[in-house]
């Protein structure tokens, strides 16, 4: 369990926090895709730079990469040994996004690019609401395909807070 992807159904599901905690437990460096993607003031990095940053991480023996970014997910899937997927209810994700905004308003989170002060707007909330169920369905299909094509790849689906906590607790032992 040295090359780990942490993905989730939506923003606010807890990918960054989970990855940090898992990285601490396993003593593996955590790489947040948001840090590769966003430049200061929420400017998108050129796609080539975004891919290059991921490819650099993939050269290491052990890593945890956290984030969805469907435009480059195949690159990470190809190299990951373990895929951990977090899926909590939509209402929990929305609550956490609002809570995160209130906690980090005017500041930059440690899992986001430098100079990207926390923000929350209607287009982002609308994106979460309108894509939640289709992403949930798409992930189930993706996992079924992976299981049939790459049976040695470990897929862990954590769909409740107790399962998430239990998984982390079991890694400590």
């Amino acid at each position: 369990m040295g090359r780990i992807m942490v993905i989730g159904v939506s923003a606010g599901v807890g990918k960054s926090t989970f990855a940090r905690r898992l990285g601490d437990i396993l003593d593996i460096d955590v790489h947040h895709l948001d840090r590769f993607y966003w430049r200061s003031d929420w400017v998108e990095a050129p796609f080539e730079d975004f891919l290059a940053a991921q490819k650099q991480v993939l050269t290491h023996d052990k890593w945890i990469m956290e984030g969805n970014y469907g435009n480059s997910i195949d690159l990470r899937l190809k190299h990951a040994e373990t895929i951990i997927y977090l899926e909590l209810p939509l209402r929990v994700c929305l609550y956490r996004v609002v809570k995160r905004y209130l906690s980090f308003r005017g500041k930059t989170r440690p899992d986001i690019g430098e100079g990207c002060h926390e923000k929350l707007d209607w287009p982002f909330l609308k994106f979460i609401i309108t894509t939640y169920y289709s992403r949930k369905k798409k992930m189930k299909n993706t996992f079924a395909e992976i299981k049939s094509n790459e049976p040695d790849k470990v897929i862990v689906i954590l769909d409740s807070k107790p399962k998430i906590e239990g998984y982390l607790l079991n890694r400590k032992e």
Side-chain angles (χ1 to χ4, degrees):
M1 190 170 168
R3 296 187 308 264
I4 304 165
M5 278 178 64
V6 177
I7 56 178
V9 67
S10 172
V13 76
K15 298 179 297 290
S16 298
T17 301
F18 178 87
R20 269 194 306 275
R21 291 176 65 195
L22 185 62
D24 288 345
I25 292 166
L26 299 177
D27 194 27
I28 298 176
D29 289 337
V30 176
H31 305 273
H32 303 280
L33 294 182
D34 281 341
R35 289 191 61 82
F36 299 154
Y37 190 80
W38 294 110
R39 301 233 168 121
S40 188
D41 294 323
W42 297 98
V43 173
E44 295 177 26
F47 187 66
E48 297 76 26
D49 293 355
F50 179 56
L51 283 180
Q54 292 176 68
K55 288 177 182 177
Q56 171 59 35
V57 172
L58 296 174
T59 65
H60 301 138
D61 291 333
K62 292 184 176 188
W63 46 262
I64 297 173
M65 255 196 275
E66 170 272 317
N68 289 347
Y69 290 94
N71 60 358
S72 64
I73 196 167
D74 289 340
L75 174 66
R76 297 184 309 279
L77 282 172
K78 185 167 72 172
H79 295 277
E81 297 166 343
T82 303
I83 302 157
I84 300 173
Y85 172 69
L86 306 180
E87 184 181 285
L88 295 176
L90 176 60
R91 69 182 182 284
V92 173
C93 296
L94 290 170
Y95 169 78
R96 287 180 173 183
V97 165
V98 172
K99 181 181 172 189
R100 179 173 71 193
Y101 168 72
L102 295 172
S103 297
F104 287 96
R105 187 174 34 186
K107 302 176 199 163
T108 299
R109 297 189 327 259
D111 57 317
I112 200 87
E114 291 291 324
C116 292
H117 299 297
E118 190 65 21
K119 65 178 186 172
L120 182 63
D121 56 20
W122 173 244
F124 183 54
L125 291 172
K126 184 178 175 184
F127 170 78
I128 293 169
I129 293 165
T130 60
T131 62
Y132 178 88
Y133 293 102
S134 61
R135 291 176 107 176
K136 189 173 171 176
K137 182 179 179 182
K138 182 178 181 183
M139 291 314 301
K140 288 188 186 340
N141 293 336
T142 298
F143 296 146
E145 186 177 316
I146 292 168
K147 285 179 184 177
S148 68
N149 295 331
E150 301 180 68
D152 293 339
K153 206 164 286 252
V154 177
I155 299 172
V156 179
I157 299 173
L158 303 173
D159 58 4
S160 70
K161 291 181 209 177
K163 286 182 183 176
I164 291 169
E165 291 304 319
Y167 185 85
L168 291 169
L169 185 63
N170 288 334
R171 302 289 85 62
K172 286 183 181 181
E173 298 169 351

